[in-house]
Structures are given as structure tokens and as C-alpha cells.
PDB file of all heavy atoms in Angstrom:
ATOM      1  N   VAL A  14       0.847  -1.191   0.000  1.00 94.00           N
ATOM      2  CA  VAL A  14       0.000   0.000   0.000  1.00 94.00           C
ATOM      3  C   VAL A  14       0.881   1.239   0.000  1.00 94.00           C
ATOM      4  O   VAL A  14       2.052   1.189   0.363  1.00 94.00           O
ATOM      5  CB  VAL A  14      -0.948   0.022   1.219  1.00 94.00           C
ATOM      6  CG1 VAL A  14      -1.977  -1.096   1.112  1.00 94.00           C
ATOM      7  CG2 VAL A  14      -0.167  -0.088   2.531  1.00 94.00           C
ATOM      8  N   ASN A  15       0.279   2.362  -0.405  1.00 92.00           N
ATOM      9  CA  ASN A  15       1.032   3.617  -0.402  1.00 92.00           C
ATOM     10  C   ASN A  15       1.011   4.242   0.988  1.00 92.00           C
ATOM     11  O   ASN A  15       0.517   3.643   1.950  1.00 92.00           O
ATOM     12  CB  ASN A  15       0.484   4.574  -1.469  1.00 92.00           C
ATOM     13  CG  ASN A  15      -0.982   4.941  -1.243  1.00 92.00           C
ATOM     14  OD1 ASN A  15      -1.519   4.794  -0.145  1.00 92.00           O
ATOM     15  ND2 ASN A  15      -1.630   5.441  -2.286  1.00 92.00           N
ATOM     16  N   SER A  16       1.529   5.451   1.114  1.00 86.00           N
ATOM     17  CA  SER A  16       1.636   6.094   2.428  1.00 86.00           C
ATOM     18  C   SER A  16       0.276   6.391   3.054  1.00 86.00           C
ATOM     19  O   SER A  16       0.176   6.596   4.260  1.00 86.00           O
ATOM     20  CB  SER A  16       2.441   7.393   2.311  1.00 86.00           C
ATOM     21  OG  SER A  16       1.799   8.293   1.412  1.00 86.00           O
ATOM     22  N   GLU A  17      -0.778   6.383   2.226  1.00 89.00           N
ATOM     23  CA  GLU A  17      -2.128   6.590   2.735  1.00 89.00           C
ATOM     24  C   GLU A  17      -2.768   5.270   3.182  1.00 89.00           C
ATOM     25  O   GLU A  17      -3.859   5.263   3.743  1.00 89.00           O
ATOM     26  CB  GLU A  17      -3.002   7.234   1.646  1.00 89.00           C
ATOM     27  CG  GLU A  17      -2.689   8.693   1.386  1.00 89.00           C
ATOM     28  CD  GLU A  17      -3.331   9.603   2.418  1.00 89.00           C
ATOM     29  OE1 GLU A  17      -4.565   9.694   2.439  1.00 89.00           O
ATOM     30  OE2 GLU A  17      -2.584  10.203   3.209  1.00 89.00           O
ATOM     31  N   GLY A  18      -2.093   4.161   2.877  1.00 91.00           N
ATOM     32  CA  GLY A  18      -2.603   2.862   3.299  1.00 91.00           C
ATOM     33  C   GLY A  18      -3.545   2.201   2.328  1.00 91.00           C
ATOM     34  O   GLY A  18      -4.305   1.310   2.711  1.00 91.00           O
ATOM     35  N   VAL A  19      -3.507   2.599   1.032  1.00 95.00           N
ATOM     36  CA  VAL A  19      -4.397   1.988   0.043  1.00 95.00           C
ATOM     37  C   VAL A  19      -3.600   1.478  -1.152  1.00 95.00           C
ATOM     38  O   VAL A  19      -2.460   1.879  -1.386  1.00 95.00           O
ATOM     39  CB  VAL A  19      -5.490   2.972  -0.445  1.00 95.00           C
ATOM     40  CG1 VAL A  19      -6.391   3.391   0.699  1.00 95.00           C
ATOM     41  CG2 VAL A  19      -4.883   4.172  -1.133  1.00 95.00           C
ATOM     42  N   VAL A  20      -4.245   0.610  -1.919  1.00 96.00           N
ATOM     43  CA  VAL A  20      -3.703   0.114  -3.183  1.00 96.00           C
ATOM     44  C   VAL A  20      -4.287   0.975  -4.300  1.00 96.00           C
ATOM     45  O   VAL A  20      -5.482   1.263  -4.307  1.00 96.00           O
ATOM     46  CB  VAL A  20      -4.083  -1.366  -3.392  1.00 96.00           C
ATOM     47  CG1 VAL A  20      -3.809  -1.800  -4.828  1.00 96.00           C
ATOM     48  CG2 VAL A  20      -3.323  -2.257  -2.418  1.00 96.00           C
ATOM     49  N   THR A  21      -3.459   1.385  -5.235  1.00 97.00           N
ATOM     50  CA  THR A  21      -3.944   2.193  -6.357  1.00 97.00           C
ATOM     51  C   THR A  21      -4.309   1.306  -7.539  1.00 97.00           C
ATOM     52  O   THR A  21      -3.850   0.161  -7.650  1.00 97.00           O
ATOM     53  CB  THR A  21      -2.878   3.205  -6.809  1.00 97.00           C
ATOM     54  OG1 THR A  21      -1.757   2.489  -7.361  1.00 97.00           O
ATOM     55  CG2 THR A  21      -2.418   4.073  -5.639  1.00 97.00           C
ATOM     56  N   ALA A  22      -5.109   1.874  -8.427  1.00 97.00           N
ATOM     57  CA  ALA A  22      -5.509   1.144  -9.628  1.00 97.00           C
ATOM     58  C   ALA A  22      -4.295   0.784 -10.482  1.00 97.00           C
ATOM     59  O   ALA A  22      -4.223  -0.318 -11.043  1.00 97.00           O
ATOM     60  CB  ALA A  22      -6.513   1.986 -10.426  1.00 97.00           C
ATOM     61  N   GLN A  23      -3.327   1.684 -10.558  1.00 97.00           N
ATOM     62  CA  GLN A  23      -2.143   1.414 -11.372  1.00 97.00           C
ATOM     63  C   GLN A  23      -1.321   0.267 -10.799  1.00 97.00           C
ATOM     64  O   GLN A  23      -0.767  -0.547 -11.555  1.00 97.00           O
ATOM     65  CB  GLN A  23      -1.276   2.668 -11.482  1.00 97.00           C
ATOM     66  CG  GLN A  23      -0.134   2.542 -12.496  1.00 97.00           C
ATOM     67  CD  GLN A  23      -0.628   2.233 -13.902  1.00 97.00           C
ATOM     68  OE1 GLN A  23      -1.522   2.898 -14.416  1.00 97.00           O
ATOM     69  NE2 GLN A  23      -0.063   1.197 -14.522  1.00 97.00           N
ATOM     70  N   GLN A  24      -1.244   0.183  -9.489  1.00 97.00           N
ATOM     71  CA  GLN A  24      -0.525  -0.933  -8.862  1.00 97.00           C
ATOM     72  C   GLN A  24      -1.137  -2.267  -9.274  1.00 97.00           C
ATOM     73  O   GLN A  24      -0.414  -3.218  -9.601  1.00 97.00           O
ATOM     74  CB  GLN A  24      -0.594  -0.821  -7.339  1.00 97.00           C
ATOM     75  CG  GLN A  24       0.377   0.145  -6.705  1.00 97.00           C
ATOM     76  CD  GLN A  24       0.183   0.182  -5.202  1.00 97.00           C
ATOM     77  OE1 GLN A  24      -0.742   0.832  -4.697  1.00 97.00           O
ATOM     78  NE2 GLN A  24       1.021  -0.527  -4.473  1.00 97.00           N
ATOM     79  N   LEU A  25      -2.454  -2.338  -9.253  1.00 98.00           N
ATOM     80  CA  LEU A  25      -3.112  -3.589  -9.636  1.00 98.00           C
ATOM     81  C   LEU A  25      -2.879  -3.879 -11.114  1.00 98.00           C
ATOM     82  O   LEU A  25      -2.558  -5.017 -11.481  1.00 98.00           O
ATOM     83  CB  LEU A  25      -4.602  -3.529  -9.337  1.00 98.00           C
ATOM     84  CG  LEU A  25      -5.402  -4.778  -9.750  1.00 98.00           C
ATOM     85  CD1 LEU A  25      -4.864  -6.023  -9.049  1.00 98.00           C
ATOM     86  CD2 LEU A  25      -6.885  -4.610  -9.464  1.00 98.00           C
ATOM     87  N   ARG A  26      -3.019  -2.866 -11.948  1.00 98.00           N
ATOM     88  CA  ARG A  26      -2.828  -3.078 -13.392  1.00 98.00           C
ATOM     89  C   ARG A  26      -1.424  -3.616 -13.678  1.00 98.00           C
ATOM     90  O   ARG A  26      -1.249  -4.514 -14.508  1.00 98.00           O
ATOM     91  CB  ARG A  26      -3.079  -1.774 -14.151  1.00 98.00           C
ATOM     92  CG  ARG A  26      -3.033  -1.940 -15.670  1.00 98.00           C
ATOM     93  CD  ARG A  26      -3.400  -0.662 -16.387  1.00 98.00           C
ATOM     94  NE  ARG A  26      -4.777  -0.265 -16.166  1.00 98.00           N
ATOM     95  CZ  ARG A  26      -5.820  -0.801 -16.787  1.00 98.00           C
ATOM     96  NH1 ARG A  26      -5.632  -1.792 -17.663  1.00 98.00           N
ATOM     97  NH2 ARG A  26      -7.030  -0.375 -16.540  1.00 98.00           N
ATOM     98  N   ASP A  27      -0.443  -3.075 -12.993  1.00 98.00           N
ATOM     99  CA  ASP A  27       0.938  -3.520 -13.209  1.00 98.00           C
ATOM    100  C   ASP A  27       1.147  -4.977 -12.802  1.00 98.00           C
ATOM    101  O   ASP A  27       2.062  -5.644 -13.311  1.00 98.00           O
ATOM    102  CB  ASP A  27       1.908  -2.636 -12.420  1.00 98.00           C
ATOM    103  CG  ASP A  27       1.987  -1.211 -12.968  1.00 98.00           C
ATOM    104  OD1 ASP A  27       1.551  -0.980 -14.108  1.00 98.00           O
ATOM    105  OD2 ASP A  27       2.477  -0.324 -12.231  1.00 98.00           O
ATOM    106  N   ALA A  28       0.316  -5.473 -11.886  1.00 98.00           N
ATOM    107  CA  ALA A  28       0.480  -6.843 -11.382  1.00 98.00           C
ATOM    108  C   ALA A  28      -0.377  -7.858 -12.127  1.00 98.00           C
ATOM    109  O   ALA A  28      -0.184  -9.067 -11.963  1.00 98.00           O
ATOM    110  CB  ALA A  28       0.133  -6.892  -9.894  1.00 98.00           C
ATOM    111  N   MET A  29      -1.308  -7.383 -12.944  1.00 98.00           N
ATOM    112  CA  MET A  29      -2.280  -8.286 -13.563  1.00 98.00           C
ATOM    113  C   MET A  29      -1.713  -9.024 -14.775  1.00 98.00           C
ATOM    114  O   MET A  29      -0.831  -8.536 -15.474  1.00 98.00           O
ATOM    115  CB  MET A  29      -3.519  -7.504 -14.008  1.00 98.00           C
ATOM    116  CG  MET A  29      -4.432  -7.054 -12.883  1.00 98.00           C
ATOM    117  SD  MET A  29      -5.144  -8.416 -11.903  1.00 98.00           S
ATOM    118  CE  MET A  29      -6.036  -9.348 -13.151  1.00 98.00           C
ATOM    119  N   SER A  30      -2.251 -10.219 -15.001  1.00 98.00           N
ATOM    120  CA  SER A  30      -2.015 -10.990 -16.223  1.00 98.00           C
ATOM    121  C   SER A  30      -3.158 -11.991 -16.342  1.00 98.00           C
ATOM    122  O   SER A  30      -4.007 -12.106 -15.442  1.00 98.00           O
ATOM    123  CB  SER A  30      -0.657 -11.707 -16.177  1.00 98.00           C
ATOM    124  OG  SER A  30      -0.612 -12.616 -15.090  1.00 98.00           O
ATOM    125  N   ASP A  31      -3.182 -12.719 -17.433  1.00 97.00           N
ATOM    126  CA  ASP A  31      -4.301 -13.629 -17.690  1.00 97.00           C
ATOM    127  C   ASP A  31      -4.311 -14.854 -16.784  1.00 97.00           C
ATOM    128  O   ASP A  31      -5.270 -15.627 -16.802  1.00 97.00           O
ATOM    129  CB  ASP A  31      -4.277 -14.092 -19.152  1.00 97.00           C
ATOM    130  CG  ASP A  31      -4.553 -12.953 -20.125  1.00 97.00           C
ATOM    131  OD1 ASP A  31      -5.175 -11.958 -19.691  1.00 97.00           O
ATOM    132  OD2 ASP A  31      -4.136 -13.048 -21.294  1.00 97.00           O
ATOM    133  N   ASP A  32      -3.244 -15.044 -15.982  1.00 98.00           N
ATOM    134  CA  ASP A  32      -3.198 -16.223 -15.117  1.00 98.00           C
ATOM    135  C   ASP A  32      -3.818 -15.967 -13.741  1.00 98.00           C
ATOM    136  O   ASP A  32      -3.809 -16.842 -12.874  1.00 98.00           O
ATOM    137  CB  ASP A  32      -1.764 -16.724 -14.949  1.00 98.00           C
ATOM    138  CG  ASP A  32      -0.855 -15.713 -14.239  1.00 98.00           C
ATOM    139  OD1 ASP A  32      -1.307 -14.576 -13.979  1.00 98.00           O
ATOM    140  OD2 ASP A  32       0.313 -16.069 -13.962  1.00 98.00           O
ATOM    141  N   VAL A  33      -4.370 -14.772 -13.520  1.00 98.00           N
ATOM    142  CA  VAL A  33      -4.952 -14.427 -12.218  1.00 98.00           C
ATOM    143  C   VAL A  33      -6.387 -14.945 -12.135  1.00 98.00           C
ATOM    144  O   VAL A  33      -7.232 -14.620 -12.971  1.00 98.00           O
ATOM    145  CB  VAL A  33      -4.927 -12.902 -11.984  1.00 98.00           C
ATOM    146  CG1 VAL A  33      -5.599 -12.566 -10.652  1.00 98.00           C
ATOM    147  CG2 VAL A  33      -3.500 -12.386 -12.004  1.00 98.00           C
ATOM    148  N   ALA A  34      -6.649 -15.744 -11.113  1.00 98.00           N
ATOM    149  CA  ALA A  34      -7.994 -16.272 -10.900  1.00 98.00           C
ATOM    150  C   ALA A  34      -8.859 -15.313 -10.098  1.00 98.00           C
ATOM    151  O   ALA A  34     -10.051 -15.155 -10.371  1.00 98.00           O
ATOM    152  CB  ALA A  34      -7.915 -17.616 -10.169  1.00 98.00           C
ATOM    153  N   LEU A  35      -8.253 -14.691  -9.079  1.00 98.00           N
ATOM    154  CA  LEU A  35      -9.018 -13.873  -8.142  1.00 98.00           C
ATOM    155  C   LEU A  35      -8.192 -12.693  -7.669  1.00 98.00           C
ATOM    156  O   LEU A  35      -7.012 -12.835  -7.366  1.00 98.00           O
ATOM    157  CB  LEU A  35      -9.432 -14.712  -6.921  1.00 98.00           C
ATOM    158  CG  LEU A  35     -10.169 -13.985  -5.790  1.00 98.00           C
ATOM    159  CD1 LEU A  35     -11.591 -13.614  -6.222  1.00 98.00           C
ATOM    160  CD2 LEU A  35     -10.219 -14.856  -4.526  1.00 98.00           C
ATOM    161  N   VAL A  36      -8.849 -11.541  -7.593  1.00 98.00           N
ATOM    162  CA  VAL A  36      -8.294 -10.381  -6.903  1.00 98.00           C
ATOM    163  C   VAL A  36      -9.192 -10.121  -5.702  1.00 98.00           C
ATOM    164  O   VAL A  36     -10.410 -10.027  -5.839  1.00 98.00           O
ATOM    165  CB  VAL A  36      -8.244  -9.130  -7.803  1.00 98.00           C
ATOM    166  CG1 VAL A  36      -7.729  -7.928  -7.015  1.00 98.00           C
ATOM    167  CG2 VAL A  36      -7.379  -9.383  -9.037  1.00 98.00           C
ATOM    168  N   SER A  37      -8.601 -10.043  -4.521  1.00 98.00           N
ATOM    169  CA  SER A  37      -9.373  -9.777  -3.303  1.00 98.00           C
ATOM    170  C   SER A  37      -8.764  -8.585  -2.577  1.00 98.00           C
ATOM    171  O   SER A  37      -7.674  -8.679  -2.019  1.00 98.00           O
ATOM    172  CB  SER A  37      -9.377 -11.004  -2.377  1.00 98.00           C
ATOM    173  OG  SER A  37     -10.159 -10.749  -1.226  1.00 98.00           O
ATOM    174  N   VAL A  38      -9.472  -7.459  -2.617  1.00 98.00           N
ATOM    175  CA  VAL A  38      -9.033  -6.227  -1.960  1.00 98.00           C
ATOM    176  C   VAL A  38     -10.230  -5.632  -1.229  1.00 98.00           C
ATOM    177  O   VAL A  38     -11.313  -5.483  -1.801  1.00 98.00           O
ATOM    178  CB  VAL A  38      -8.460  -5.207  -2.964  1.00 98.00           C
ATOM    179  CG1 VAL A  38      -8.048  -3.918  -2.243  1.00 98.00           C
ATOM    180  CG2 VAL A  38      -7.272  -5.796  -3.723  1.00 98.00           C
ATOM    181  N   MET A  39     -10.047  -5.279   0.014  1.00 98.00           N
ATOM    182  CA  MET A  39     -11.135  -4.790   0.865  1.00 98.00           C
ATOM    183  C   MET A  39     -11.706  -3.454   0.379  1.00 98.00           C
ATOM    184  O   MET A  39     -11.040  -2.699  -0.325  1.00 98.00           O
ATOM    185  CB  MET A  39     -10.638  -4.654   2.303  1.00 98.00           C
ATOM    186  CG  MET A  39      -9.420  -3.765   2.429  1.00 98.00           C
ATOM    187  SD  MET A  39      -8.723  -3.572   4.098  1.00 98.00           S
ATOM    188  CE  MET A  39      -8.991  -5.090   4.909  1.00 98.00           C
ATOM    189  N   VAL A  40     -12.939  -3.164   0.799  1.00 98.00           N
ATOM    190  CA  VAL A  40     -13.547  -1.869   0.497  1.00 98.00           C
ATOM    191  C   VAL A  40     -12.969  -0.796   1.410  1.00 98.00           C
ATOM    192  O   VAL A  40     -12.613   0.297   0.964  1.00 98.00           O
ATOM    193  CB  VAL A  40     -15.080  -1.914   0.656  1.00 98.00           C
ATOM    194  CG1 VAL A  40     -15.700  -0.554   0.306  1.00 98.00           C
ATOM    195  CG2 VAL A  40     -15.697  -3.002  -0.211  1.00 98.00           C
ATOM    196  N   ALA A  41     -12.899  -1.092   2.700  1.00 98.00           N
ATOM    197  CA  ALA A  41     -12.344  -0.149   3.678  1.00 98.00           C
ATOM    198  C   ALA A  41     -11.540  -0.936   4.699  1.00 98.00           C
ATOM    199  O   ALA A  41     -11.939  -2.030   5.104  1.00 98.00           O
ATOM    200  CB  ALA A  41     -13.451   0.642   4.364  1.00 98.00           C
TER     201      ALA A  41
END
């Protein structure tokens, strides 16, 4: 997470590929 304690959309995009079955990230 960043200094604010959250994951950004760009961070997820950089980690994604077609082999991912599930992304699990909390709402709050």
C-alpha cells in the first residue's frame, strides 16, 4: 500500500495478467 494505506488502480494493473484467478481487496 502507499503512504495513505491503500492500493492504487495502477498498482493492480501492473500486477495483472491472464493467469490471475481472483483479486481480493477490501472496500475499507
Side-chain angles (χ1 to χ4, degrees):
V14 293
N15 61 19
S16 60
E17 287 280 293
V19 297
V20 167
T21 66
Q23 189 59 50
Q24 280 179 281
L25 178 59
R26 186 175 295 281
D27 291 344
M29 287 299 301
S30 61
D31 293 337
D32 64 354
V33 177
L35 176 71
V36 177
S37 182
V38 178
M39 56 182 33
V40 181

